[in-house]
């Protein structure tokens, strides 16, 4: 489409270019020049809106104006009446059955036109208007579509300017995810190491406890073994004496 | 009286020159061609009418039949406008001449039939025998159908001629009656004049209807044979 614009611009700027292009192949044979100047068909000259004014539907207004200076307002009517009467009286126009049919046909036509003329004219105008409206709508729709496309394109361009925000956010997200993963793994390593160390500590504790218990048991066993029978008897007698003393003390207390 | 009655149907000559060709070509002036999109009221109404008629007329045809649309639209416009113009006083109607109507009917009918026989021979021959006829009647029926086929162009032409001629004659006669009665008794003349008015309205309708019927029948023959 741009090439057409260029061509028409070139044609407008230099009409001779068009002639030269057309002359090219036939320049040897004929020097007839076609299409000098702008194309003559467009733009189409506008139609007149109203037809010429007529009186009695037949006689143009200019005739009345033509006769006005000499005969005044009634001149053409007198002329018409005189002519009709002359034709009738001299039988240049004979009254035949055709006359009666003329009266009926023409009378019917005049009645129909007077009654339905305006509405038919309105209908014709409406037809033209509808045609124009349809084309206008196509044009408006096309313009609107193109305008919408332009606005959308502008919006897209504006969005593209702000695209870096999106990339920053994505970059931040990824950095955070990496950080989180790193810390998670660090924590896991820490836990594993602690686990191993705890294991060793608990092993040590257990060993010490076992040794303690073993030692205590061994000491107890030996002590119990070392208590001879004599010692046992003496200890029991002493315990009984102590108990008796205590019983006497206890008896004396509650009575008071 | 006789000569006067049929004088309007004589081929018009102006000082020995046959002017009938100009009269036949006159309706052409009433359909002004235009290279504009938005035309005057007359052209707008004509375009709308043509579109309406064309849609209605060619809706039944297939692609092959629609190649005849220009022919049929020209036909109906020509017959319609010549008939309507013939109602004006002291005018000559070409469609009252049998010669012209035959010249329109026979080529169109023959074209449709021959096209049908060439392209769809079996189907065209099958039209001669309607469905469901009892066997003893077949020979007679074929003869009758053949006669009916060959009568079609005659019927087309004579129908148009007779209708328009009869209408014109009737209008002339009743006009004459009104004229004769005017000097005898005005009331009867007035009643006769009313009859004439009604007849004129009928004539307008007949003019259009005959055009339509002619074109419709040609279209029907075409439909049978495409």
């Amino acid at each position: 489409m741009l090439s057409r614009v260029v061509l028409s611009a070139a044609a407008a700027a230099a009409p001779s270019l068009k002639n030269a292009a057309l002359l090219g192949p036939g320049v040897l044979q004929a020097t007839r020049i076609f299409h000098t100047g702008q194309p003559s068909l467009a733009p189409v000259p506008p139609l007149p809106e109203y037809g010429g004014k007529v009186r009695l539907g037949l006689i143009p207004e200019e005739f009345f104006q033509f006769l006005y200076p000499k005969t005044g307002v009634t001149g053409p009517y007198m002329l018409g009446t005189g002519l009709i009467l002359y034709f009738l009286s001299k039988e240049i126009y004979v009254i035949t059955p055709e006359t009666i049919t003329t009266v009926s046909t023409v009378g019917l036509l005049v009645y129909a036109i007077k009654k339905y003329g305006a509405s038919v004219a309105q209908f014709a105008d409406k037809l033209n208007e509808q045609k124009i409206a349809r084309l206008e709508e196509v044009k408006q729709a096309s313009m609107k579509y193109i305008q919408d496309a332009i606005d959308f394109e502008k919006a897209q361009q504006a969005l593209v300017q702000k695209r870096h925000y999106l990339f920053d956010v994505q970059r931040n997200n990824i950095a955070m995810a990496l950080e989180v993963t790193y810390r998670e793994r660090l924590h896991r390593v820490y836990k594993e190491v602690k686990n191993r160390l705890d294991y060793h500590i608990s092993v040590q504790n257990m060993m010490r406890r076992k040794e303690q218990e073993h030692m205590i048991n061994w000491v107890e066993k030996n002590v119990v073994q070392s208590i001879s029978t004599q010692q046992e008897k003496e200890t029991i007698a002493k315990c009984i004496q102590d108990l008796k003393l205590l019983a006497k003390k206890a008896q004396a207390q509650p009575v008071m | 009286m006789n000569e006067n009655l049929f004088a309007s149907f004589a081929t018009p000559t102006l000082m020995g020159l046959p002017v009938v060709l100009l009269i036949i070509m006159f309706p052409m002036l009433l359909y002004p061609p235009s290279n504009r999109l938005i035309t005057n009221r007359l052209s707008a109404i004509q375009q709308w009418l043509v579109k309406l008629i064309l849609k209605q007329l060619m809706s039944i045809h297939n692609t092959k039949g629609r190649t005849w649309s220009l022919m049929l639209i020209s036909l109906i416009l020509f017959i319609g406008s010549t008939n309507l113009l013939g109602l004006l006083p002291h005018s000559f109607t070409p469609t009252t001449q049998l010669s012209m109507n035959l010249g329109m009917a026979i080529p169109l009918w023959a074209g449709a039939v021959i096209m049908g026989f060439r392209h769809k021979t079996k189907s065209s021959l099958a039209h001669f025998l309607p469905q469901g006829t009892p066997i003893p009647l077949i020979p007679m029926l074929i003869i009758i159908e053949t006669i009916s086929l060959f009568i079609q162009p005659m019927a087309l032409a004579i129908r148009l001629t007779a209708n328009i001629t009869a209408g014109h004659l009737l209008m002339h006669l009743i006009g004459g009656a009104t004229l004769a009665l005017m000097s005898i008794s005005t009331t009867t003349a007035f009643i006769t004049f009313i009859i004439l008015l009604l007849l004129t309205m009928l004539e307008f309708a007949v003019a259009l209807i005959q055009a339509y019927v002619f074109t419709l029948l040609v279209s029907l023959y075409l439909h049978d044979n495409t």
Side-chain angles (χ1 to χ4, degrees):
Chain A
M1 205 182 92
L2 270 174
S3 60
R4 236 190 283 157
V5 172
V6 166
L7 271 172
S8 71
S16 55
L17 258 171
K18 226 184 199 172
N19 298 339
L22 284 162
L23 276 177
V27 73
L28 286 173
Q29 290 158 20
T31 44
R32 253 182 296 170
I33 299 182
F34 302 102
H35 302 295
T36 46
Q38 298 296 324
S40 56
L41 277 182
V44 182
L47 283 174
E49 194 164 338
Y50 295 105
K53 287 200 146 301
V54 278
R55 265 199 233 187
L56 294 176
L58 275 177
I59 308 161
E61 188 68 32
E62 285 85 7
F63 183 66
F64 291 82
Q65 299 305 320
F66 174 69
L67 288 180
Y68 178 75
K70 293 286 186 227
T71 56
V73 178
T74 51
Y77 296 107
M78 290 310 298
L79 180 64
T81 320
L83 269 176
I84 291 174
L85 287 174
Y86 168 65
F87 285 140
L88 280 173
S89 69
K90 287 270 191 176
E91 291 256 316
I92 298 175
Y93 177 73
V94 186
I95 299 216
T96 56
E98 193 98 35
T99 319
I100 315 288
T101 49
T102 309
V103 169
S104 87
T105 312
V106 170
L108 215 63
L109 274 176
V110 166
Y111 171 73
I113 289 178
K114 277 229 171 337
K115 187 152 175 218
Y116 299 113
S119 56
V120 168
Q122 219 178 34
F123 177 70
D125 287 338
K126 197 161 64 103
L127 283 175
N128 275 344
E129 258 171 59
Q130 276 174 351
K131 215 190 271 188
I132 296 180
R134 247 178 292 158
L135 297 170
E136 187 74 29
E137 191 179 315
V138 168
K139 183 175 96 168
Q140 289 300 329
S142 171
M143 274 170 51
K144 183 171 168 317
Y145 175 72
I146 291 176
Q147 188 60 39
D148 286 345
I150 291 175
D151 290 338
F152 183 67
E153 181 65 29
K154 285 226 171 75
Q156 293 292 85
Q157 281 178 354
L159 281 177
V160 161
Q161 293 306 317
K162 304 192 183 99
R163 227 175 20 167
H164 66 279
Y165 286 133
L166 187 71
F167 296 153
D168 285 342
V169 163
Q170 281 179 338
R171 230 178 279 134
N172 284 346
N173 275 354
I174 291 174
M176 257 200 289
L178 284 172
E179 184 77 24
V180 162
T181 321
Y182 171 70
R183 288 200 187 167
E184 205 183 339
R185 288 191 191 156
L186 204 62
H187 182 67
R188 216 174 28 184
V189 160
Y190 169 78
K191 268 210 307 206
E192 286 292 311
V193 165
K194 187 155 155 319
N195 230 5
R196 307 278 155 81
L197 294 176
D198 281 342
Y199 169 73
H200 287 304
I201 292 173
S202 50
V203 158
Q204 269 183 0
N205 284 349
M206 193 192 65
M207 288 302 290
R208 196 174 298 154
R209 210 180 43 222
K210 282 280 182 252
E211 284 171 4
Q212 258 182 348
E213 281 175 11
H214 186 255
M215 229 187 316
I216 291 173
N217 286 343
W218 186 79
V219 163
E220 275 185 8
K221 205 166 63 180
N222 283 346
V223 163
V224 165
Q225 273 179 352
S226 71
I227 300 176
S228 60
T229 2
Q230 178 65 15
Q231 268 183 327
E232 211 176 326
K233 271 189 192 162
E234 281 179 12
T235 321
I236 293 178
K238 194 164 184 310
C239 284
I240 293 174
Q241 266 186 349
D242 281 335
L243 275 170
K244 279 187 186 162
L245 263 173
L246 274 170
K248 273 194 202 152
K249 263 197 208 164
Q251 267 184 346
Q253 288 285 349
V255 167
M256 279 170 80
Chain B
M1 169 67 171
N2 263 346
E3 198 262 284
N4 220 355
L5 197 53
F6 291 103
S8 61
F9 299 121
T11 318
T13 56
L14 192 64
M15 302 186 295
L17 288 168
V19 97
V20 61
L21 196 63
L22 292 175
I23 296 180
I24 292 182
M25 287 183 10
F26 175 69
M28 199 174 71
L29 295 174
L30 300 172
Y31 298 97
S34 174
N35 53 358
R36 297 166 172 274
L37 181 63
I38 309 294
T39 46
N40 51 5
R41 287 172 181 166
L42 181 69
S43 300
I45 295 180
Q46 281 169 358
Q47 281 172 8
W48 171 77
L49 264 177
V50 166
K51 193 161 160 207
L52 195 71
I53 297 172
L54 193 62
K55 242 191 197 167
Q56 221 264 338
L57 209 54
M58 305 311 284
S59 52
I60 50 172
H61 290 117
N62 54 4
T63 316
K64 195 146 200 296
R66 287 198 185 147
T67 54
W68 279 55
S69 39
L70 182 61
M71 183 73 232
L72 291 176
I73 276 289
S74 322
L75 195 66
I76 191 171
L77 283 179
F78 174 68
I79 301 182
S81 45
T82 14
N83 288 350
L84 283 173
L85 280 174
L87 289 169
L88 294 174
H90 299 286
S91 59
F92 171 69
T93 325
T95 36
T96 51
Q97 309 299 312
L98 186 62
S99 50
M100 191 181 106
N101 292 347
L102 276 173
M104 283 197 295
I106 293 190
L108 289 171
W109 166 85
V113 165
I114 291 177
M115 203 166 77
F117 269 105
R118 257 186 77 181
H119 295 293
K120 295 172 38 170
T121 321
K122 241 192 281 182
S123 150
S124 301
L125 283 172
H127 276 129
F128 284 132
L129 193 64
Q131 264 183 338
T133 50
I135 301 199
L137 277 170
I138 290 184
M140 207 169 66
L141 209 56
I142 295 208
I143 296 177
I144 291 178
E145 287 285 329
T146 316
I147 297 177
S148 141
L149 180 73
F150 281 102
I151 269 212
Q152 278 174 353
M154 298 294 154
L156 270 177
I158 296 180
R159 183 187 303 111
L160 186 57
T161 318
N163 267 302
I164 307 296
T165 319
H168 283 311
L169 265 178
L170 210 53
M171 289 211 332
H172 202 132
L173 280 171
I174 296 192
T178 319
L179 193 60
L181 280 172
M182 265 203 311
S183 44
I184 301 178
S185 108
T186 329
T187 348
T188 328
F190 188 65
I191 294 174
T192 325
F193 187 68
I194 300 292
I195 297 180
L196 184 59
L197 274 179
L198 294 172
L199 192 64
T200 316
M201 287 196 276
L202 180 67
E203 281 311 305
F204 272 104
V206 165
L208 296 167
I209 290 170
Q210 285 306 314
Y212 177 63
V213 163
F214 196 98
T215 318
L216 192 67
L217 282 171
V218 172
S219 151
L220 223 59
Y221 300 150
L222 185 66
H223 184 66
D224 280 342
N225 288 315
T226 19

